[in-house]
Amino acid sequence: MSSAEQAPLSASGASTSLKSPGIGFLCVKHPLTGLEAIREGEGVKKGQILAFLRAGELLAPILSDRDAVAILQAAAEGALVGYGEVMFELT
């Protein structure tokens, strides 16, 4: 491996699914500020906010459960997601 190449953060290189911890509407942009938590294709760190789950007036952060080289959004912005539904794929 040349010095210009970097080893991926994921040891296995396999993707994992990040599932919804509850029922609500997926908000990739914060409803009050309009700022995006992440952008598709970016790398993320464990504990980083990826999005928010809105249920009524409750806004719960969705956190990455591991370091990942890239992220793919599986559920659309504003989509109603159920418990255990895949929201993101981490690679």
Side-chain angles (χ1 to χ4, degrees):
M1 180 181 300
S2 73
S3 61
E5 295 176 18
Q6 291 184 343
L9 295 175
S10 172
S12 67
S15 69
T16 58
S17 299
L18 187 62
K19 298 179 181 179
S20 176
I23 299 170
F25 294 94
L26 180 65
C27 301
V28 177
K29 295 179 181 178
H30 192 283
L32 297 178
T33 64
L35 297 175
E36 287 184 73
I38 54 95
R39 290 199 170 103
E40 193 170 56
E42 285 184 340
V44 294
K45 298 285 186 188
K46 182 177 181 175
Q48 183 175 343
I49 295 175
L50 304 179
F52 302 91
L53 193 61
R54 182 176 53 83
E57 293 188 24
L58 176 66
L59 191 63
I62 303 300
L63 306 176
S64 175
D65 60 353
R66 66 177 182 91
D67 289 353
V69 175
I71 186 167
L72 175 67
Q73 187 175 332
E77 168 74 19
L80 178 62
V81 293
Y83 176 79
E85 189 172 333
V86 175
M87 296 184 299
F88 296 98
E89 292 288 336
L90 304 174
T91 57

